[in-house]
Amino acid sequence: MLVDDQPLLRAGFRALMKAVPDLEVVGEAGDGDQAVLLAGQTRPDVVLMDVQMPRSDGLRATARITADPALSGTRVIVLTTFELDEYVFGALKAGASGFLLKDIEPEALIDAVRLVHDGQALLAPQVTGRLIQAYVGAQTAPPPAPAGRTEVEGLDSLTQRERDILRLVAAGMSNKEIAEELVLSPLTVKTHVSRVLGKLGARDRAQLVVIAYEGGLVGRG
């Protein structure tokens, strides 16, 4: 599903997706309220969500979509022209599975849709480093934990190996990169990541990033 208040951009994304055999655009919306309504009707696998839109913005719409039990299978990629930290924080807090900039190459966007559909998380390389530095360097105070969530208690249930892997996930590393860093097989890393997701009750890797930051795990030795 495509969500952007600019019809020309939606047309470009639609043409891009139409050219790919395994992707189909099931709906388009021009603001956050329309997006939430349309998502409930079409149950998309992936939503490409703009941030700045009239009526309800993309972050509010993302939070409403990811909080809906009926849309538990829907993943949201926030796509914006801005690299502002508050947008990155807001997107992850709202439950987005990816944050990318609109200057991304077409092929990379197609790959991003497929990766997020497969349960992986994506952060634009331009913002990943700044996001980590903001937390580690205490440039930006970590946002408060969502009501009802106990990240610290969840972190206490992890083994040291699982903590190490969570820290590397939060650093934006892929399973292959984590395997090389810890001298493990990719399959072993995948198993550990699945266990961490289960123990922390996280929707996907993007939520693991948030939990690692809020729990103070990033930057510790």
Side-chain angles (χ1 to χ4, degrees), residues 105-220:
E105 292 294 326
E107 296 81 5
L109 180 59
I110 295 298
D111 289 341
V113 170
R114 290 178 174 142
L115 286 171
V116 166
H117 177 260
D118 289 339
Q120 300 188 50
L122 292 171
L123 284 175
Q126 298 97 314
V127 301
T128 305
R130 284 202 339 274
L131 180 66
I132 295 169
Q133 288 301 316
Y135 276 92
V136 175
Q139 299 298 315
T140 301
R149 165 164 270 179
T150 56
E151 282 85 359
V152 174
E153 292 179 9
L155 289 175
D156 288 342
S157 70
L158 302 183
T159 65
Q160 184 58 51
R161 175 63 79 190
E162 290 166 347
R163 281 172 168 265
D164 292 340
I165 287 177
L166 175 57
R167 187 182 298 111
L168 296 177
V169 167
M173 296 177 69
S174 67
N175 283 358
K176 181 180 179 181
E177 291 169 333
I178 294 173
E180 292 173 353
E181 176 74 16
L182 299 179
V183 195
L184 299 170
S185 73
L187 180 59
T188 298
V189 172
K190 183 177 180 180
T191 299
H192 280 304
V193 171
S194 296
R195 288 175 180 167
V196 172
L197 286 166
K199 287 184 177 182
L200 299 179
R203 180 187 180 100
D204 54 29
R205 293 170 75 103
Q207 285 196 346
L208 292 183
V209 173
V210 175
I211 292 171
Y213 289 148
E214 291 179 340
L217 194 60
V218 175
R220 293 181 181 177

Side-chain angles (χ1 to χ4, degrees), residues 13-94:
F13 289 142
R14 185 192 325 120
L16 177 62
M17 301 298 169
K18 189 176 181 179
V20 182
D22 61 330
L23 298 181
E24 177 186 0
V25 176
V26 297
E28 299 179 30
D31 63 56
D33 287 342
Q34 292 178 358
V36 174
L37 179 63
L38 191 59
Q41 296 171 345
T42 61
R43 306 288 179 87
D45 295 312
V46 178
V47 178
L48 292 183
M49 180 77 73
D50 188 23
V51 173
Q52 291 192 328
M53 295 182 292
R55 295 211 293 171
S56 179
D57 67 31
L59 300 186
R60 291 190 181 91
T62 296
R64 291 169 64 187
I65 288 172
T66 60
D68 187 345
L71 296 174
S72 60
T74 297
R75 301 290 182 264
V76 179
I77 300 175
V78 170
L79 203 60
T80 179
T81 55
F82 304 99
E83 297 183 35
L84 298 179
D85 288 335
E86 55 264 34
Y87 286 168
V88 184
F89 300 149
L92 293 177
K93 291 292 294 179

